[in-house]
Amino acid sequence: MPLFSLFAVYFIIWWVTLFAVLPFGLRTQAEENDVVPGTVESAPARFRGGRVVLITTVAAAVIHFGWYLLSVKFGFGIDAIPQLYPKFD
């Protein structure tokens, strides 16, 4: 598999993982009882962007490595998924 394709798959996995990781450990301004005027109560009290990026990068690397092993090394593809509906020929 070309290096660019590996990077493209990792990039997609990273972005999907980012949106899954964003709410982890989030404390809103309403929970902290410190709502800044002009913001919504659900805004983060303290956004930790570096922590989110680090967790996302590590999680995406683990998921990407698992995908790489299954698809490239072991040869599992979309055809390996069992067919859940009958074929009408």
Side-chain angles (χ1 to χ4, degrees):
M1 177 174 273
L3 186 62
F4 182 77
S5 297
L6 286 173
F7 177 74
V9 171
Y10 178 78
F11 183 75
I12 292 169
I13 292 171
W14 192 91
W15 275 103
V16 171
T17 307
L18 172 68
F19 290 110
V21 169
L22 271 174
F24 290 174
L26 177 72
R27 301 268 308 161
T28 64
Q29 292 180 10
E31 292 171 337
E32 297 284 326
N33 292 326
D34 185 28
V35 179
V36 176
T39 62
V40 293
E41 293 180 350
S42 60
R46 286 180 305 278
F47 180 67
R48 297 180 179 120
R51 179 175 167 250
V52 169
V53 168
L54 179 66
I55 292 171
T56 300
T57 302
V58 171
V62 169
I63 294 168
H64 186 265
F65 182 69
W67 168 82
Y68 180 79
L69 280 179
L70 287 175
S71 65
V72 175
K73 294 298 179 186
F74 296 128
F76 287 103
I78 202 76
D79 295 331
I81 299 172
Q83 187 174 356
L84 300 176
Y85 55 90
K87 284 178 111 175
F88 296 107
D89 292 312

